[in-house]
């Protein structure tokens, strides 16, 4: 048995989800005739209280489409130095939208409204790129699953309004923030111009993200998705997985969070571990003492059938998820305690 904690993307559809997929009603979504996709998009739009929702095969494509909808070539997006759109989307911001990123040196992937405002280039200073968008991530991936303070997000909204900037939320793990902070989709739908949410991370779907937003912006989304190669046909099989996940896999994220905290407690007692970052959701990031070699440590765990990932500079990451059950959890804690 392998205990795979590399990411919450390694989950496989449950029996219930597969049954829902097999009985999905489908049609050609390029003609907007797939009833299951239409139902999923409608449900998410309603859930977040926004005008429009559009299904995407991946979170990266949903984010990339959002960047394109908010910007023109040559312009600039403000984001944290840890941002997924900057670090992990293959340079898509420049490739697809011809824009640059102004990086904020934040804390655990989060920054303040003051930092955001200071990062804006003066619009009449034509030597520098025109700032047109602020993008944030909740929870933060590279920041270790940290959750934003909602009041700070509101203050950033005010900055965006004052300077006439768009405001995008990369919500790949927004569900985890809802559960950890007892927040709800409507408060986010109200605050942001566009939001991407992922169905295949904590929620356990094989594929799928959804971009949500206001009508004025989203009217171009279908064309942008098509240009990015994201026109899909009988994709309702995937929508059925999404609908099933919304019904069955949100509340249970609590369990992932609890397990992550318990892993953190054990790790923090191990003498060769320097620090464990605060654990708010399902991501555990910890740093080994300088005299411990990261690759050796990863291999040592691998020999015990435990997979985790290195994040560079002696930092390692574990992510709990739907397929990491109580049995695996007990085995893992036992092995860690004996290291
Ligand atoms: C996983 C992730 C995405 C999207 O990733 P895909 O693999 O393209 O679905 C976007 N943002 C964050 C913060 C993520 O963790």
């Amino acid at each position: 048995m392998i205990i795979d904690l590399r990411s919450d993307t390694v989950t496989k559809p449950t029996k219930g989800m597969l049954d829902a997929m097999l009985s999905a009603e489908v049609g050609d979504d390029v003609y907007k005739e797939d009833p299951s996709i239409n139902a999923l998009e409608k449900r998410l739009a309603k859930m977040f209280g926004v005008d429009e929702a559009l299904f995407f095969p991946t979170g990266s494509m949903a984010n990339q489409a959002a960047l394109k909808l908010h910007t023109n070539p040559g312009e600039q997006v403000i984001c944290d130095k840890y941002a997924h759109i900057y670090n992990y989307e293959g340079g898509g911001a420049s490739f697809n939208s011809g824009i640059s990123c102004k990086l904020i040196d934040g804390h655990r992937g989060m920054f303040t409204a003051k930092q955001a405002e200071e990062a804006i280039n003066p619009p009449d200073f034509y030597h520098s790129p025109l700032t047109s968008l602020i993008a944030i991530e909740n929870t933060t991936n590279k920041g270790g699953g940290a959750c934003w303070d909602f009041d700070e997000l509101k203050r950033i909204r005010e900055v965006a309004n004052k300077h006439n900037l768009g405001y995008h939320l990369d919500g790949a793990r927004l569900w985890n923030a809802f559960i950890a902070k007892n927040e709800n989709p409507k408060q986010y739908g109200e605050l942001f111009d566009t939001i991407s949410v992922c169905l295949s991370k904590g929620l356990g779907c094989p594929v799928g993200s959804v971009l949500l937003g206001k009508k004025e912006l989203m009217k171009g989304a279908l064309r942008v998705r098509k240009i990015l190669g994201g026109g899909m046909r009988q994709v309702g099989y995937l929508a059925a997985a999404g609908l099933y996940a919304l019904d069955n896999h949100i509340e249970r994220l609590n369990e992932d969070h609890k397990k992550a905290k318990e892993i953190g407690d054990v790790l923090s007692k191990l003498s060769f571990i320097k620090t464990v970052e605060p654990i708010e959701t399902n991501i555990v990031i910890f740093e080994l003492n300088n005299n411990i070699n990261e690759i050796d440590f990863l291999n040592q765990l691998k020999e015990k059938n435990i997979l985790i990932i290195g994040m560079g500079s002696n930092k390692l990451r574990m992510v709990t998820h739907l397929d990491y059950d109580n049995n695996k959890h007990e085995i893992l804690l036992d092995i860690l305690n004996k290291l």
Side-chain angles (χ1 to χ4, degrees):
M1 184 181 64
I2 305 278
I3 299 179
D4 192 345
L5 294 168
R6 288 170 301 166
S7 174
D8 44 8
T9 55
V10 300
T11 56
K12 292 179 188 156
T14 61
K15 170 88 173 49
M17 184 177 279
L18 284 171
D19 287 344
M21 292 170 76
L22 279 174
S23 55
E25 269 188 67
V26 296
D28 190 339
D29 181 52
V30 169
Y31 294 116
K32 283 283 153 205
E33 284 172 5
D34 186 299
S36 301
I37 276 289
N38 292 343
L40 175 72
E41 291 175 347
K42 206 167 154 194
R43 175 156 170 196
L44 279 165
K46 191 162 175 236
M47 190 175 178
F48 281 78
V50 299
D51 305 323
E52 305 276 347
L54 186 65
F55 183 83
F56 280 79
T58 67
S60 296
M61 199 193 279
N63 282 335
Q64 290 301 314
L67 295 180
K68 183 66 205 158
L69 294 171
H70 281 285
T71 62
N72 291 305
E75 295 178 355
Q76 196 162 64
V77 52
I78 293 171
C79 61
D80 189 87
K81 66 180 187 296
Y82 280 178
H84 195 279
I85 57 166
Y86 171 71
N87 288 289
Y88 302 122
E89 296 183 12
S94 58
F95 192 94
N96 297 313
S97 296
I99 58 171
S100 55
C101 298
K102 175 85 147 253
L103 301 181
I104 297 184
D105 185 17
H107 176 62
R108 305 189 74 208
M110 301 175 291
F111 47 85
T112 64
K114 183 166 174 282
Q115 284 178 301
E117 189 155 33
E118 284 165 3
I120 300 169
N121 293 328
D124 53 354
F125 188 69
Y126 57 82
H127 305 274
S128 40
L130 185 68
T131 308
S132 46
L133 175 65
I134 302 174
I136 73 108
E137 199 173 299
N138 199 18
T139 69
T140 62
N141 178 344
K142 207 170 153 71
C147 304
W148 282 75
D149 168 18
F150 196 75
D151 288 330
E152 200 61 46
L153 293 177
K154 284 202 263 187
R155 286 190 282 272
I156 295 175
R157 170 83 263 177
E158 286 163 23
V159 169
N161 288 350
K162 186 172 147 199
H163 297 272
N164 203 16
L165 309 178
Y167 195 21
H168 173 68
L169 163 59
D170 175 353
R173 292 191 182 82
L174 187 57
W175 314 109
N176 296 86
F178 291 160
I179 294 298
K181 303 268 288 184
N182 200 17
E183 294 171 338
N184 66 70
K186 290 226 165 56
Q187 61 188 115
Y188 280 83
E190 224 171 83
L191 199 63
F192 288 89
D193 299 317
T194 49
I195 301 175
S196 63
V197 293
C198 181
L199 300 166
S200 76
K201 294 253 166 91
L203 298 197
C205 293
V207 175
S209 281
V210 175
L211 185 65
L212 302 147
K214 299 188 176 127
K215 209 180 226 123
E216 317 87 82
L217 272 164
M218 290 294 288
K219 68 179 190 298
L222 200 55
R223 178 182 294 273
V224 171
R225 188 184 70 177
K226 184 75 183 174
I227 293 167
L228 294 174
M232 293 162 283
R233 305 295 182 181
Q234 288 72 23
V235 76
Y237 294 112
L238 301 176
L243 288 164
Y244 180 88
L246 293 176
D247 285 330
N248 297 286
H249 291 169
I250 296 182
E251 289 305 319
R252 65 153 303 286
L253 290 171
N254 261 324
E255 297 167 33
D256 297 346
H257 298 180
K258 184 167 164 277
K259 289 193 181 92
K261 285 199 177 80
E262 287 167 1
I263 293 172
D265 287 344
V266 171
L267 291 175
S268 60
K269 285 180 197 126
L270 299 175
S271 60
F272 56 90
I273 288 176
K274 195 195 272 178
T275 49
V276 181
E277 291 189 9
I279 296 159
E280 294 180 48
T281 54
N282 66 328
I283 301 179
V284 182
I285 293 183
F286 61 99
E287 191 176 343
L288 300 168
N289 282 343
N290 298 340
N291 58 342
I292 309 278
N293 181 284
E294 176 181 323
I295 307 292
D296 292 345
F297 183 73
L298 286 172
N299 285 336
Q300 194 190 345
L301 288 180
K302 204 169 174 184
E303 276 164 24
K304 296 178 169 38
N305 289 327
I306 298 166
L307 305 180
I308 72 171
I309 60 165
M311 304 195 79
S313 46
N314 250 17
K315 278 189 182 179
L316 301 161
R317 187 184 84 167
M318 298 186 185
V319 188
T320 57
H321 52 73
L322 187 59
D323 288 0
Y324 175 68
D325 58 20
N326 291 337
N327 179 37
K328 289 180 182 170
H329 187 50
E330 268 176 44
I331 296 171
L332 179 87
L333 294 186
D334 194 47
I335 290 172
L336 291 179
N337 269 318
K338 287 181 186 145
L339 282 179

